[in-house]
Amino acid sequence: MKKSIALLNSKVTALCQRVSAAFVAPSEKQGRAVMFVLGIALIALSLSLDVSAQTKYNDEKIANATNAVLLYLEGSFGALVMAAAGIGAIMSASFGQYKAALSLMLVAVGAFILRSFMSTFFNDENIMP
């Protein structure tokens, strides 16, 4: 019986020493394990909470601002952006900067198809003209 108590005492002492060493100077492996367990705990906690993000809010001001920006980009300002980007793309291509030319061409095309991108990826019921 004393032998088993001594063995148990030595195992508990070794475990306490390991835990103390992990708190004082954790190894990289221990740090990763703690971060993994913490991440799993946060995910489990967030899934278990009753989160109600489906509250009603008035997004009329946001919709009006977004619609104004999109109308500018689709109107005369968008034409100006497209013309400047097109000229910049031609100049960049003539100087051999093809990456810049491609980027400017994407800006030129994106000025007019931004509303299509937004309607594809986002809920745009309130920002239609």
Side-chain angles (χ1 to χ4, degrees):
M1 183 73 174
K2 285 191 175 204
K3 188 175 185 181
S4 123
I5 291 176
L7 180 64
L8 182 63
N9 190 13
S10 68
K11 295 287 185 184
V12 169
T13 302
L15 178 66
C16 289
Q17 287 173 347
R18 286 185 184 162
V19 169
S20 176
F23 276 117
V24 172
S27 67
E28 184 178 348
K29 187 176 180 182
Q30 291 168 337
R32 286 183 183 174
V34 167
M35 290 298 157
F36 179 74
V37 169
L38 184 66
I40 294 296
L42 285 174
I43 289 173
L45 181 66
S46 67
L47 292 177
S48 66
L49 294 176
D50 182 26
V51 179
S52 60
Q54 300 298 327
T55 58
K56 295 289 183 184
Y57 64 96
N58 187 6
D59 63 345
E60 185 178 342
K61 291 182 180 179
I62 296 171
N64 289 339
T66 306
N67 194 27
V69 170
L70 290 175
L71 287 176
Y72 281 129
L73 283 176
E74 290 173 346
S76 58
F77 181 71
L80 177 67
V81 168
M82 186 181 134
I87 292 170
I90 292 169
M91 290 178 58
S92 295
S94 67
F95 290 126
Q97 297 176 347
Y98 298 110
K99 288 183 182 180
L102 183 61
S103 298
L104 288 169
M105 287 305 295
L106 287 175
V107 168
V109 173
F112 284 106
I113 62 172
L114 184 62
R115 189 179 295 268
S116 299
F117 281 145
M118 288 186 66
S119 66
T120 301
F121 296 112
F122 301 105
N123 180 11
D124 65 341
E125 295 172 350
N126 297 331
I127 60 171
M128 296 309 277

